[in-house]
Amino acid sequence: MNASTNKALSLGIVVALWAVVSHFGKLPLQLWPVLVGLASFLGAGGGTTGLQKSVLGTASGVAWALVYVAVSRALGGNDMLDALVVGAAVFGMVFQARVPQLSYTTGAFVGAATAMGALGVRA
């Protein structure tokens, strides 16, 4: 079996198992964050390096989203201030690429979007 087929088969099995465990275990595990995470992993090149880049990038994006939510709530949820705060968070996600471990900017945006979606944040 070639590498491409092996990757497709293994990732397909992982997603199917996630869905089975969630469904039969009656667990509130949503599938879309798994697919978004896999997209980040594959976009980062896969393998160990891709895993490191996607995990660190995605985690940083989640952190930026949590900072956005905290600051937004502290400022009272004003639409204009929210726009400025989310703009500052985007600046931070792009600017952090100067740090080699956080240079996968796509992962940061994926993490922020996933966190905001999971939290039901409207920006």
Side-chain angles (χ1 to χ4, degrees), residues 3-20:
S4 179
T5 302
N6 189 29
K7 183 188 300 184
L9 183 60
S10 62
L11 292 177
I13 290 170
V14 166
V15 170
L17 287 174
W18 184 277
V20 166

Side-chain angles (χ1 to χ4, degrees), residues 22-35:
S22 176
H23 179 74
F24 289 116
K26 305 283 189 226
L27 302 171
L29 302 173
Q30 296 184 6
L31 187 57
W32 70 268
V34 173
L35 296 176

Side-chain angles (χ1 to χ4, degrees), residues 34-54:
V34 173
L35 296 176
V36 170
L38 282 174
S40 180
F41 166 71
L42 294 171
T48 304
T49 303
L51 180 62
Q52 291 170 344
K53 288 169 63 174
S54 64

Side-chain angles (χ1 to χ4, degrees), residues 4 6 10 27 45 64-65 70 75 79 83 86-87 101 103 107 122:
S4 179
N6 189 29
S10 62
L27 302 171
W64 282 109
L75 295 175
D79 287 342
V86 79
Q101 294 86 352
S103 63
R122 175 190 73 77

